[in-house]
Short mmCIF file of all heavy atoms in Angstrom, two decimals:
data_model
loop_
_atom_site.label_atom_id
_atom_site.label_comp_id
_atom_site.label_asym_id
_atom_site.label_seq_id
_atom_site.Cartn_x
_atom_site.Cartn_y
_atom_site.Cartn_z
N GLU A 1 22.85 14.05 23.20
CA GLU A 1 21.48 13.60 23.39
C GLU A 1 20.53 14.29 22.40
O GLU A 1 19.65 13.65 21.82
CB GLU A 1 21.04 13.89 24.83
CG GLU A 1 21.68 12.98 25.86
CD GLU A 1 21.28 11.52 25.67
OE1 GLU A 1 20.10 11.26 25.39
OE2 GLU A 1 22.16 10.66 25.76
N GLN A 2 20.71 15.58 22.20
CA GLN A 2 19.85 16.29 21.26
C GLN A 2 20.04 15.77 19.84
O GLN A 2 19.07 15.65 19.08
CB GLN A 2 20.14 17.79 21.33
CG GLN A 2 19.68 18.44 22.63
CD GLN A 2 20.08 19.90 22.73
OE1 GLN A 2 21.00 20.35 22.05
NE2 GLN A 2 19.40 20.64 23.58
N ALA A 3 21.30 15.48 19.46
CA ALA A 3 21.56 14.95 18.12
C ALA A 3 20.94 13.57 17.97
O ALA A 3 20.39 13.23 16.90
CB ALA A 3 23.06 14.90 17.86
N GLU A 4 21.00 12.74 18.99
CA GLU A 4 20.39 11.42 18.93
C GLU A 4 18.88 11.52 18.76
O GLU A 4 18.27 10.78 17.96
CB GLU A 4 20.72 10.63 20.20
CG GLU A 4 22.19 10.23 20.31
CD GLU A 4 22.52 9.66 21.68
OE1 GLU A 4 21.65 9.77 22.58
OE2 GLU A 4 23.62 9.11 21.86
N ILE A 5 18.26 12.43 19.51
CA ILE A 5 16.81 12.61 19.41
C ILE A 5 16.43 13.06 18.00
O ILE A 5 15.44 12.60 17.42
CB ILE A 5 16.33 13.62 20.47
CG1 ILE A 5 16.50 13.02 21.87
CG2 ILE A 5 14.88 14.02 20.24
CD1 ILE A 5 16.25 14.02 22.99
N ALA A 6 17.24 13.97 17.44
CA ALA A 6 16.96 14.45 16.08
C ALA A 6 17.07 13.32 15.06
O ALA A 6 16.27 13.25 14.11
CB ALA A 6 17.91 15.59 15.72
N VAL A 7 18.05 12.43 15.22
CA VAL A 7 18.19 11.30 14.30
C VAL A 7 16.98 10.37 14.41
O VAL A 7 16.41 9.94 13.38
CB VAL A 7 19.50 10.53 14.59
CG1 VAL A 7 19.54 9.22 13.80
CG2 VAL A 7 20.71 11.39 14.23
N ASP A 8 16.58 10.04 15.64
CA ASP A 8 15.41 9.16 15.82
C ASP A 8 14.15 9.79 15.24
O ASP A 8 13.34 9.11 14.58
CB ASP A 8 15.21 8.87 17.31
CG ASP A 8 16.31 7.99 17.88
OD1 ASP A 8 16.98 7.30 17.08
OD2 ASP A 8 16.52 8.01 19.10
N GLU A 9 13.98 11.10 15.47
CA GLU A 9 12.79 11.78 14.93
C GLU A 9 12.79 11.74 13.40
O GLU A 9 11.75 11.48 12.78
CB GLU A 9 12.75 13.23 15.42
CG GLU A 9 11.58 14.01 14.86
CD GLU A 9 11.80 15.50 14.96
OE1 GLU A 9 12.88 15.93 15.41
OE2 GLU A 9 10.88 16.25 14.56
N ALA A 10 13.94 12.00 12.80
CA ALA A 10 14.01 12.02 11.34
C ALA A 10 13.72 10.64 10.76
O ALA A 10 13.05 10.52 9.72
CB ALA A 10 15.39 12.51 10.89
N GLN A 11 14.19 9.60 11.42
CA GLN A 11 13.89 8.24 10.93
C GLN A 11 12.39 7.96 10.98
O GLN A 11 11.83 7.39 10.04
CB GLN A 11 14.66 7.21 11.76
CG GLN A 11 16.16 7.25 11.55
CD GLN A 11 16.86 6.04 12.15
OE1 GLN A 11 17.20 5.09 11.45
NE2 GLN A 11 17.10 6.07 13.45
N GLU A 12 11.75 8.34 12.07
CA GLU A 12 10.30 8.13 12.17
C GLU A 12 9.55 8.95 11.13
O GLU A 12 8.57 8.47 10.54
CB GLU A 12 9.83 8.48 13.58
CG GLU A 12 10.40 7.56 14.67
CD GLU A 12 10.01 8.01 16.05
OE1 GLU A 12 9.32 9.06 16.17
OE2 GLU A 12 10.38 7.34 17.04
N ARG A 13 10.01 10.19 10.90
CA ARG A 13 9.36 11.03 9.89
C ARG A 13 9.51 10.46 8.50
O ARG A 13 8.59 10.56 7.67
CB ARG A 13 9.93 12.44 9.95
CG ARG A 13 9.46 13.26 11.15
CD ARG A 13 10.24 14.53 11.28
NE ARG A 13 10.27 15.27 10.02
CZ ARG A 13 11.18 16.16 9.71
NH1 ARG A 13 12.16 16.43 10.55
NH2 ARG A 13 11.13 16.80 8.56
N ILE A 14 10.66 9.86 8.20
CA ILE A 14 10.85 9.26 6.87
C ILE A 14 9.87 8.12 6.66
O ILE A 14 9.23 8.01 5.60
CB ILE A 14 12.31 8.77 6.73
CG1 ILE A 14 13.27 9.96 6.62
CG2 ILE A 14 12.46 7.88 5.51
CD1 ILE A 14 14.73 9.58 6.64
N GLN A 15 9.75 7.26 7.64
CA GLN A 15 8.83 6.13 7.50
C GLN A 15 7.40 6.60 7.33
O GLN A 15 6.64 6.07 6.49
CB GLN A 15 8.97 5.21 8.72
CG GLN A 15 10.35 4.58 8.84
CD GLN A 15 10.56 3.86 10.16
OE1 GLN A 15 9.64 3.77 10.98
NE2 GLN A 15 11.76 3.35 10.37
N ALA A 16 7.02 7.61 8.12
CA ALA A 16 5.66 8.14 7.99
C ALA A 16 5.47 8.83 6.64
O ALA A 16 4.41 8.71 6.01
CB ALA A 16 5.36 9.11 9.13
N ALA A 17 6.50 9.56 6.17
CA ALA A 17 6.39 10.27 4.90
C ALA A 17 6.29 9.30 3.73
O ALA A 17 5.58 9.56 2.75
CB ALA A 17 7.58 11.20 4.72
N GLN A 18 7.02 8.19 3.80
CA GLN A 18 6.93 7.21 2.72
C GLN A 18 5.53 6.61 2.62
O GLN A 18 5.01 6.41 1.52
CB GLN A 18 7.98 6.12 2.95
CG GLN A 18 9.41 6.59 2.72
CD GLN A 18 10.45 5.54 3.07
OE1 GLN A 18 10.14 4.55 3.76
NE2 GLN A 18 11.67 5.74 2.61
N THR A 19 4.91 6.34 3.77
CA THR A 19 3.52 5.86 3.77
C THR A 19 2.59 6.93 3.22
O THR A 19 1.65 6.63 2.45
CB THR A 19 3.11 5.47 5.19
OG1 THR A 19 4.01 4.46 5.70
CG2 THR A 19 1.70 4.93 5.23
N LEU A 20 2.88 8.18 3.59
CA LEU A 20 2.05 9.28 3.12
C LEU A 20 2.15 9.44 1.60
O LEU A 20 1.14 9.67 0.92
CB LEU A 20 2.47 10.59 3.81
CG LEU A 20 1.74 11.87 3.40
CD1 LEU A 20 0.26 11.75 3.72
CD2 LEU A 20 2.36 13.07 4.09
N VAL A 21 3.33 9.30 1.04
CA VAL A 21 3.51 9.42 -0.40
C VAL A 21 2.75 8.31 -1.13
O VAL A 21 2.08 8.56 -2.15
CB VAL A 21 5.01 9.38 -0.76
CG1 VAL A 21 5.20 9.23 -2.27
CG2 VAL A 21 5.70 10.65 -0.28
N ALA A 22 2.85 7.10 -0.60
CA ALA A 22 2.13 5.99 -1.26
C ALA A 22 0.61 6.23 -1.25
O ALA A 22 -0.07 6.02 -2.26
CB ALA A 22 2.47 4.68 -0.54
N SER A 23 0.10 6.72 -0.14
CA SER A 23 -1.34 6.99 -0.06
C SER A 23 -1.73 8.15 -0.98
O SER A 23 -2.77 8.09 -1.66
CB SER A 23 -1.73 7.33 1.38
OG SER A 23 -1.44 6.24 2.25
N ALA A 24 -0.88 9.20 -1.02
CA ALA A 24 -1.18 10.35 -1.87
C ALA A 24 -1.14 9.98 -3.35
O ALA A 24 -1.94 10.48 -4.15
CB ALA A 24 -0.20 11.49 -1.57
N GLN A 25 -0.21 9.10 -3.73
CA GLN A 25 -0.15 8.67 -5.12
C GLN A 25 -1.41 7.88 -5.51
O GLN A 25 -1.97 8.08 -6.60
CB GLN A 25 1.10 7.80 -5.34
CG GLN A 25 2.39 8.60 -5.36
CD GLN A 25 3.61 7.69 -5.44
OE1 GLN A 25 3.56 6.51 -5.08
NE2 GLN A 25 4.73 8.27 -5.90
N GLU A 26 -1.86 7.02 -4.64
CA GLU A 26 -3.07 6.26 -4.92
C GLU A 26 -4.30 7.17 -4.98
O GLU A 26 -5.17 7.02 -5.86
CB GLU A 26 -3.26 5.18 -3.85
CG GLU A 26 -4.50 4.33 -4.02
CD GLU A 26 -4.48 3.49 -5.30
OE1 GLU A 26 -3.40 3.34 -5.91
OE2 GLU A 26 -5.54 2.99 -5.70
N ASN A 27 -4.35 8.13 -4.07
CA ASN A 27 -5.47 9.07 -4.06
C ASN A 27 -5.50 9.90 -5.33
O ASN A 27 -6.56 10.14 -5.93
CB ASN A 27 -5.39 9.97 -2.83
CG ASN A 27 -6.56 10.92 -2.72
OD1 ASN A 27 -7.72 10.51 -2.90
ND2 ASN A 27 -6.28 12.18 -2.44
N PHE A 28 -4.31 10.35 -5.79
CA PHE A 28 -4.25 11.13 -7.02
C PHE A 28 -4.64 10.28 -8.22
O PHE A 28 -5.33 10.75 -9.14
CB PHE A 28 -2.85 11.70 -7.22
CG PHE A 28 -2.67 12.42 -8.52
CD1 PHE A 28 -3.23 13.67 -8.73
CD2 PHE A 28 -1.95 11.83 -9.57
CE1 PHE A 28 -3.08 14.33 -9.93
CE2 PHE A 28 -1.80 12.49 -10.77
CZ PHE A 28 -2.37 13.74 -10.96
N ARG A 29 -4.23 9.01 -8.24
CA ARG A 29 -4.59 8.14 -9.36
C ARG A 29 -6.11 7.96 -9.43
O ARG A 29 -6.71 8.03 -10.53
CB ARG A 29 -3.90 6.79 -9.18
CG ARG A 29 -4.08 5.83 -10.36
CD ARG A 29 -3.48 4.49 -10.04
NE ARG A 29 -4.21 3.82 -8.96
CZ ARG A 29 -5.35 3.15 -9.13
NH1 ARG A 29 -5.91 3.06 -10.34
NH2 ARG A 29 -5.94 2.56 -8.11
N LEU A 30 -6.73 7.77 -8.27
CA LEU A 30 -8.18 7.61 -8.26
C LEU A 30 -8.89 8.89 -8.67
O LEU A 30 -9.86 8.87 -9.44
CB LEU A 30 -8.63 7.17 -6.87
CG LEU A 30 -8.15 5.78 -6.42
CD1 LEU A 30 -8.55 5.52 -4.98
CD2 LEU A 30 -8.68 4.70 -7.35
N ALA A 31 -8.40 10.03 -8.16
CA ALA A 31 -9.04 11.31 -8.48
C ALA A 31 -8.90 11.62 -9.97
O ALA A 31 -9.83 12.14 -10.60
CB ALA A 31 -8.42 12.42 -7.65
N GLN A 32 -7.73 11.30 -10.53
CA GLN A 32 -7.54 11.56 -11.96
C GLN A 32 -8.44 10.64 -12.80
O GLN A 32 -9.00 11.06 -13.82
CB GLN A 32 -6.07 11.35 -12.33
CG GLN A 32 -5.72 11.86 -13.72
CD GLN A 32 -4.22 11.79 -13.97
OE1 GLN A 32 -3.55 10.85 -13.54
NE2 GLN A 32 -3.70 12.81 -14.64
N GLY A 33 -8.57 9.39 -12.37
CA GLY A 33 -9.46 8.48 -13.08
C GLY A 33 -10.91 8.94 -13.02
O GLY A 33 -11.64 8.87 -14.03
N ARG A 34 -11.35 9.42 -11.87
CA ARG A 34 -12.72 9.91 -11.74
C ARG A 34 -12.94 11.15 -12.60
O ARG A 34 -13.98 11.32 -13.23
CB ARG A 34 -13.01 10.24 -10.27
CG ARG A 34 -13.18 8.99 -9.39
CD ARG A 34 -13.23 9.36 -7.91
NE ARG A 34 -14.27 10.34 -7.67
CZ ARG A 34 -15.57 10.03 -7.47
NH1 ARG A 34 -15.94 8.77 -7.52
NH2 ARG A 34 -16.46 10.98 -7.24
N PHE A 35 -11.90 12.01 -12.63
CA PHE A 35 -12.04 13.23 -13.43
C PHE A 35 -12.09 12.89 -14.91
O PHE A 35 -12.90 13.44 -15.67
CB PHE A 35 -10.89 14.18 -13.14
CG PHE A 35 -10.96 15.48 -13.90
CD1 PHE A 35 -11.83 16.48 -13.51
CD2 PHE A 35 -10.16 15.68 -15.03
CE1 PHE A 35 -11.90 17.67 -14.22
CE2 PHE A 35 -10.23 16.87 -15.73
CZ PHE A 35 -11.11 17.88 -15.33
N ASP A 36 -11.22 11.96 -15.35
CA ASP A 36 -11.21 11.58 -16.76
C ASP A 36 -12.51 10.87 -17.15
O ASP A 36 -12.94 10.96 -18.32
CB ASP A 36 -10.01 10.67 -17.05
CG ASP A 36 -8.69 11.41 -16.93
OD1 ASP A 36 -8.70 12.67 -16.98
OD2 ASP A 36 -7.64 10.75 -16.76
N ALA A 37 -13.13 10.19 -16.18
CA ALA A 37 -14.39 9.50 -16.47
C ALA A 37 -15.59 10.43 -16.42
O ALA A 37 -16.72 10.03 -16.75
CB ALA A 37 -14.59 8.35 -15.49
#
């Protein structure tokens, strides 16, 4: 049961982390553009 819970948690964290990376990349692109401008 503990191993199953850990697998489910890791899957949810991956999905959330992938969304987080996409948002962070867009935020960095905008911040770099503002700084260069």
